[in-house]
Each structure stands twice: as C-alpha cells, then as structure tokens.
Amino acid sequence: MSAKIIDGKALSEEIIAKTKKQSEEFEKLHLRKVSLAVVLVGDDEASKVYVSSKIKRTASANIESIACFLPENTSQEVLEAKIKELNDDKTIDGILVQLPLPKHIDSQKIVGMVAVEKDVDAFSSEHMGNILLGVDGLVSCTPAGIIELIKSTGETISGKNAVVIGRSNIVGKPVAMLLLNESATVTICHSRTKDLSLYTKNADILVVSVGKKEFVKGKDIKKGAIVIDVGINRHDGKLYGDVEFASAENEAGYITPVPGGVGPMTIAMLMANTLKAANLRLTKK
Ligand code: NAP
C-alpha cells in the first residue's frame, strides 16, 4: 500500500485564498488593508529567502507588507525603538521579527517586546499559555499548520494515539498541546527517550520535528498512520525531511512530503494569523 500524500502546497493555497477573501472584506469595512511588518536585521542569506517568500505571500492574501530591513550593525536601542514604533502604530496588525538576529542583539528581549496582540508568530508566553489552557487566540504558525494538515485527511483526531518526536518551544511542545486539545492521547519523545520505536510503532498520528535527515524509517511506523514530517534538512543541494519518505510511504496511510508539506502551511498560517490579529485587536477595542 502506498500512502496518500497530504499536499501542503494545495492546502496552503486554499487557506491563502480564504484569507484573501476575508481580508478584502476587512478592507471594505475599515478602509485600510490588513498589514504585516516584517523586521529583518542584517544579511543572513537564509533569512532573506524566508522573508522574501513571506512578503510575496502577503500580496496573494491582500495583506500589506511593511518591510523593515535594518543593517547588521543596528544597535539594541535602535531595534527596540523600531519595535516600539511598530507596536504603537495603529495601522499595523502583525509584527514578525525574523530570527536569528545578529549576535550582539538580545533576541529574547526583542521578541518579548512585540505587543502580544501583534505577535503573529505567537511564541510569547501569553500565546503559549493560551494553547495550554485551550483558550482561543493566536497559535504559532507551524503547529497550527500541522493541525490543519492532519484535519485535511478527514480522519478524526479524538481518541487517536499521537506521538510527537521533538520538544522544541516552536514545534514539539505546542503541537503536542494542540493535539491534546483535540482529545488525542499524546506522547512527547525526545533525545532521552528510550526505545523510541516502541512509541512510534503505536502512533496513529506521528509528528516528527527532530532536524535529522531521514531519522524515522518505514519500519518504525504503524500501518496506516498519519505522518507529519516537519524537518527541513539540506544535504548536497537537496531538501530532506526527518522521515525516510521512500520506506515510510509503504507503511503510512497519509504522509506529508518535504518540500511541499509543512513548509508552505507555515506561511499560510502566518497570513491567517495576521488577519486574525487584526480582527481580534478591533473587537477588543
Ligand atoms: P530543535 O529545537 O532542534 O529540536 C529538536 C528536537 O529533537 C529536540 O527536542 C530533541 O530532543 C529532539 N531529538 C534530537 N535527537 C533526537 C533523537 N535521537 N531521538 C529523539 N528526539 C531527538 O528543532 P525544531 O525547531 O523543532 O525543528 C526541527 C526540524 O523542523 C528542523 O529541521 C527545522 O528546520 C524544521 N522546522 C521546519 C519548519 C517548517 O515550517 N517546515 C518550522 C520549524 C522547524 P532534546 O530536547 O532532548 O534535545
């Protein structure tokens, strides 16, 4: 049996089209576009690529992007002043600070300064706390995209055994909490987990966010499982996931490809989050 491919690219296009429709309604109602400020400091090549693809997608979602590109030698004080200016600007709905910031910058302080209601990356302790409490609000983009990918299979999450490999603050922990909120029975595995395959072989839903090329093999996967591969590993000019696709697709019921799975969904959820932030801010006034 060959797994059904979960097409993250197609799903992301659907989400962006829906966001575009709703942001056009927002524009008609409020006589301005939903807007996203993207802050990039320095010349990191990978960051430039990520930022330009995010900016490109804002146009498809009828969201205005405000590019705040600052030189590598920008001081902590100047960057803090910029964040404050964006926080205070009533026409800006979302602020995204592209990481990593240059080494001389206190990244945690900068990210922590972004106004909670404009924090579309949703990494702040308030947003994370809301996920933990099951309160509706902004959810960080990659975990939110993963849940959409799982739901797109049409399978129910409730009652399933879900295993998340990886406990990062940006993927593993929040996605585990979101799966719990959907009433899955959740196990979080990490580098100290003994006998990992004992868990993976029992997983109806397997989310892998480890950052190691083809770490999970087909033999570790339960027949018919939903497999979400978060990993992006560059090797000899090619992209690989954390799951060995060739062997996994013979076991899984559904699987995300790399590229074309989680990646495009992260950007689509950023657009959806920016629109949500705009609406939440207006309803709170
Ligand atoms: P991370 O912060 O490096 O965390 C990796 C996790 O994997 C850690 O919790 C670590 O355990 C665990 N781990 C490492 N070796 C392991 C092993 N042998 N067995 C079990 N667990 C092990 O990574 P991340 O930020 O979650 O990112 C993971 C991957 O996803 C990367 O390739 C990244 O580029 C990609 N990513 C993609 C997107 C996207 O939009 N597609 C978004 C975010 C990340 P410990 O905690 O014990 O060290």
Side-chain angles (χ1 to χ4, degrees):
M1 187 190 81
S2 196
K4 290 190 183 132
I5 307 295
I6 308 175
D7 187 343
K9 186 135 187 15
L11 186 59
S12 73
E13 294 297 344
E14 275 175 37
I15 290 170
I16 286 177
K18 192 169 147 206
T19 305
K20 179 175 186 267
K21 219 167 148 230
Q22 291 173 355
S23 63
E24 282 168 352
E25 282 161 22
F26 180 100
E27 188 180 359
K28 270 191 215 142
L29 203 63
H30 302 289
L31 306 175
R32 70 166 181 87
K33 282 191 174 180
V34 173
S35 69
L36 172 68
V38 182
V39 180
L40 173 69
V41 185
D43 299 312
D44 183 77
E45 284 307 320
S47 294
K48 280 191 198 165
V49 172
Y50 290 137
V51 161
S52 78
S53 60
K54 284 168 188 169
I55 288 179
K56 216 166 92 191
R57 297 313 268 155
T58 54
S60 327
N62 191 47
I63 291 175
E64 188 179 349
S65 60
I66 291 111
C68 307
F69 294 171
L70 301 167
E72 180 80 23
N73 62 0
T74 300
S75 67
Q76 178 81 25
E77 293 70 31
V78 167
L79 187 53
E80 285 183 13
K82 186 75 206 170
I83 301 293
K84 191 172 177 315
E85 180 193 317
L86 297 171
N87 281 344
D88 293 343
D89 187 336
K90 291 189 170 43
T91 66
I92 288 178
D93 301 297
I95 302 171
L96 180 124
V97 180
Q98 184 63 44
L99 300 175
L101 290 167
K103 287 200 171 60
H104 64 277
I105 300 281
D106 181 344
S107 299
Q108 224 174 340
K109 189 169 180 207
I110 295 295
V111 171
M113 271 186 72
V114 174
V116 170
E117 66 275 17
K118 297 188 180 188
D119 173 21
V120 284
D121 253 341
F123 293 146
S124 71
S125 46
E126 181 157 337
H127 292 310
M128 289 293 179
N130 282 341
I131 295 179
L132 195 67
L133 298 173
V135 173
D136 185 36
L138 299 178
V139 174
S140 39
C141 304
T142 302
I146 291 169
I147 297 298
E148 292 298 324
L149 286 163
I150 296 170
K151 286 184 173 171
S152 77
T153 64
E155 301 282 337
T156 48
I157 298 177
S158 175
K160 294 235 161 50
N161 282 336
V163 171
V164 178
I165 316 182
R167 55 175 162 176
S168 67
N169 289 336
I170 62 167
V171 186
K173 282 183 202 165
V175 87
M177 285 307 123
L178 292 172
L179 285 163
L180 183 63
N181 292 346
E182 296 285 342
S183 298
T185 302
V186 183
T187 307
I188 307 176
C189 299
H190 45 79
S191 68
R192 310 284 173 91
T193 300
K194 292 194 178 104
D195 227 339
L196 186 64
S197 65
L198 205 70
Y199 300 95
T200 59
K201 280 179 184 164
N202 197 31
D204 304 307
I205 298 171
L206 180 63
V207 179
V208 190
S209 187
V210 171
K212 290 185 176 165
K213 175 180 170 270
E214 299 182 328
F215 177 73
V216 171
K217 316 283 181 201
K219 65 177 175 49
D220 306 315
I221 293 171
K222 183 178 175 179
K223 263 264 175 275
I226 300 172
V227 177
I228 307 292
D229 187 351
V230 188
I232 303 175
N233 306 289
R234 281 170 221 280
H235 189 76
D236 287 343
K238 260 188 84 182
L239 281 188
Y240 293 85
D242 286 348
V243 176
E244 188 183 66
F245 190 88
S247 61
E249 73 166 340
N250 295 325
E251 304 302 323
Y254 302 87
I255 188 166
T256 56
V258 176
V262 175
M265 284 301 287
T266 298
I267 297 187
M269 298 319 288
L270 175 66
M271 301 307 133
N273 260 1
T274 306
L275 174 69
K276 191 169 184 182
N279 282 321
L280 282 176
R281 208 156 54 87
L282 288 171
T283 50
K284 271 189 186 161
K285 270 182 188 165

